[in-house]
């Protein structure tokens, strides 16, 4: 209650931007539900991995491709969506994403009915297309379009708060999914039992949750369609202008390093949670734990992630330490936890793997913001005069003011970078199949967190000097 009242007081000013009316607070609460939706779909993937592995008799590497078919959509569609939004705007992008999301979720009903791996993969790709569309439109809409007014309530400071607040809905959507659907989806995935491919309960265990989120996304589409959401004020830019800035970004080594850090981080997060249920089962003392029970341990990690996201929203804005310093701290701790997971067995390995959720909570928004803000560092160091970014030191760390085409371009490249979630989990599955240990597969997240640490260290050194 106190947290809700805090954000209502902080964010609830009457800020109107472009067409449409309504307070920032009311619009923020509505759009934040969209953030929760793609959190639910990502978390359902973690339940789907052990489900398809058992029901379709797949290897760990094959089951890991669930994430491949999901996150490859981000890589393929990020730029087309970004180009589309230059013409139609972010609100239309949110509506399009909700429709694609609803259609993709519906696709799991026939996929489960026919137990078809092909239909599962098609449904995953369509669902991910909607999720990518939502992520590419909702993130910049909350962070920039609701903060375009020059009033104090709508300034840069509360813009950062709005984005962290909205992303906390994503974290909570991920956290409650294993609790709400874990027992249902994995009810028959007990050790020592053979899968029943024609069981009605097996079919409905997957159909029910995806039918629920399909209906929820369609209802949200209707609400947003008939709501008068504020529109961005900026004029539509040309496609040529959008693509013209991309080659300049690839000449900036800090941007490249940030994109690779995002690639590795998302791969580590998705990989850890995809195989977390299996790791808990393999390391549970005594009689092997059922998958449904292990999914509750996954919920603990996801709730730690959600708690850390809310904590980061206040710490990053009020702490005298800069965001890159907090990124250094969290990535270093996460790397240490991975080392312990690899070196131990049983409860200690489960505990350390679960606690990585807390360390990962601030990585995505921090890497996202620092990568955009770092676009000017090489320019300043090389003495170029066409810098479009001005770094400012403030109590919230690094703020940035970037031209709209470059902002859209970097944002779309960062969304494309989440393809790491498609490529690294199958690699973790391959290591598990070769070494017969989910613990040793944590060498991939270990490498990923070291990459994130190197990005934070390099950026911190460049800003100091």
């Amino acid at each position: 209650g106190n947290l809700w009242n805090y954000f209502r007081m902080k964010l609830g000013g009457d800020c109107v931007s472009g067409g449409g009316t309504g307070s920032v607070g009311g619009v923020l609460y509505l759009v934040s539900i969209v953030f929760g939706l793609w959190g639910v779909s990502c978390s359902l993937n973690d339940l789907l991995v052990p489900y398809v592995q058992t029901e379709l008799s797949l290897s760990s590497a094959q089951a890991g491709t669930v994430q491949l078919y999901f996150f490859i959509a981000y890589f393929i569609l990020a730029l087309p969506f970004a180009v589309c939004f230059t013409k139609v705007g972010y609100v239309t992008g949110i509506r399009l994403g909700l429709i694609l999301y609803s259609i993709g979720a519906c696709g799991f009903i026939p996929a489960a009915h026919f137990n078809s791996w092909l239909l599962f993969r098609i449904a995953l790709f369509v669902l991910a297309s909607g999720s990518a569309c939502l992520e590419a439109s909702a993130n910049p809409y909350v962070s920039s379009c609701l903060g375009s007014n020059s009033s104090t309530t709508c300034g840069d400071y509360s813009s950062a708060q709005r984005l962290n607040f909205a992303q906390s809905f994503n974290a909570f959507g991920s956290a409650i999914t294993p609790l709400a659907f874990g027992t249902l989806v994995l009810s028959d995935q007990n050790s020592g039992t053979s899968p029943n491919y024609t069981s009605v309960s097996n079919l409905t265990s997957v159909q029910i949750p995806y039918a629920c989120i399909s209906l929820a996304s369609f209802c949200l589409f209707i609400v947003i369609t008939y709501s008068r959401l504020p529109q961005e004020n900026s004029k539509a830019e040309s496609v040529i202008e959008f693509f013209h800035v991309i080659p300049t970004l690839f000449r900036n080594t800090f941007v490249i390093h940030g994109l690779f850090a995002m690639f590795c981080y998302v791969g580590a997060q998705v990989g850890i949670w995809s195989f977390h249920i299996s790791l808990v089962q393999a390391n549970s003392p005594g009689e092997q734990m059922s998958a449904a029970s292990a999914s509750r341990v996954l919920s603990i990690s996801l709730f730690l992630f959600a708690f850390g996201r809310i904590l980061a929203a206040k710490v990053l804005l009020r702490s005298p330490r800069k965001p890159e310093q907090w990124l250094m701290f969290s990535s270093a701790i996460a790397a240490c936890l991975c080392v312990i997971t690899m070196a131990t067995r049983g409860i200690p390995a489960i505990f350390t793997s679960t606690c990585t959720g807390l360390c990962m909570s601030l990585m995505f928004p921090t890497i996202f913001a620092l990568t955009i803000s770092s676009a000017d560092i090489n320019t300043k160091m090389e003495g170029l005069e066409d810098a479009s970014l001005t770094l400012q030191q403030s109590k919230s760390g690094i703020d940035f003011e970037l031209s709209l085409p470059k902002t859209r371009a970097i944002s779309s490249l960062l969304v494309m970078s989440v393809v790491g979630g498609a490529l690294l989990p199958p690699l973790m599955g391959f290591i598990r199949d070769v070494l017969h240990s989910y613990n040793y597969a944590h060498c991939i997240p270990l490498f990923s967190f070291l990459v994130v640490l190197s990005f934070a260290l390099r950026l911190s050194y460049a800003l100091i000097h």
Side-chain angles (χ1 to χ4, degrees), residues 148-161:
S148 59
N149 196 293
S150 58
S151 66
T152 302
T153 304
C154 301
D156 291 336
Y157 182 81
S158 60
S159 175
Q161 279 190 315

Side-chain angles (χ1 to χ4, degrees), residues 342 345 428 431-442:
M342 295 172 60
R345 297 294 183 271
M428 288 183 65
I431 293 175
R432 186 271 163 196
D433 290 337
V434 172
L435 301 179
H436 305 288
S437 173
Y438 288 105
N439 299 62
Y440 291 144
H442 274 63

Side-chain angles (χ1 to χ4, degrees), residues 146-387:
L146 295 183
S148 59
N149 196 293
S150 58
S151 66
T152 302
T153 304
C154 301
D156 291 336
Y157 182 81
S158 60
S159 175
Q161 279 190 315
R162 282 194 300 273
L163 187 56
N164 277 281
F165 177 66
Q167 288 176 339
S168 69
F169 277 69
N170 172 271
F172 274 108
S174 299
I176 65 175
T177 299
L179 290 179
F181 300 121
T183 302
L184 178 65
V185 174
L186 302 174
S187 58
D188 295 325
Q189 313 300 311
N190 297 320
S191 59
T193 61
S194 300
N196 184 356
Y197 298 102
T198 60
S199 170
V200 175
S201 62
N202 273 21
L203 299 178
T204 57
S205 68
V206 171
Q207 291 172 332
I208 290 177
Y210 283 102
C212 289
I213 64 173
S214 177
L215 179 61
S217 60
F218 184 74
C219 290
L220 188 57
F221 165 78
I222 295 175
V223 172
I224 289 181
T225 298
Y226 289 97
S227 299
R228 302 176 63 187
L229 298 186
Q231 303 281 348
E232 56 265 40
N233 286 322
S234 59
K235 297 180 181 179
E237 70 216 46
S238 68
V239 176
I240 296 177
E241 184 181 10
F242 174 80
F243 282 104
H244 176 72
V245 302
I246 292 181
T248 65
L249 297 177
F250 282 103
R251 292 198 294 268
N252 188 316
T253 58
F254 287 93
V255 172
I256 297 299
H257 201 162
L259 293 175
F260 186 54
M262 181 67 80
F263 173 92
C264 291
Y265 156 69
V266 175
Q269 176 191 294
V270 174
I272 289 173
W273 287 341
S274 293
F275 296 107
H276 194 68
I277 292 175
S278 298
L279 180 138
V280 171
Q281 288 182 289
N283 287 272
S284 59
E287 185 177 351
Q288 187 178 29
M289 186 184 300
S290 68
S293 298
S295 69
R296 299 187 185 98
V297 181
L298 173 62
S299 289
I300 296 175
S301 182
L302 293 169
F303 271 111
L304 288 174
F305 181 80
F307 171 76
R309 182 62 59 82
I310 294 177
L311 185 64
K314 301 191 71 173
V315 168
L316 287 179
L317 293 174
R318 297 183 181 275
S319 171
R321 293 184 180 274
K322 301 298 186 292
E324 62 273 12
Q325 294 175 323
W326 284 108
L327 185 62
M328 287 165 48
F329 176 76
S330 61
S331 57
I333 296 298
C336 292
L337 291 175
C338 287
V339 171
I340 298 174
T341 302
M342 295 172 60
T344 61
R345 297 294 183 271
I347 297 299
I350 296 175
F351 177 79
T352 53
S353 181
T354 301
C355 288
T356 55
L358 181 61
C359 297
M360 293 188 293
S361 58
L362 60 77
M363 290 188 186
F364 182 91
T366 308
I367 295 173
F368 199 101
L370 290 178
T371 301
I372 295 178
S373 63
S374 68
D376 190 48
I377 295 179
N378 268 16
T379 302
K380 288 181 177 292
M381 293 174 67
E382 294 169 5
L384 301 179
E385 297 179 355
D386 60 345

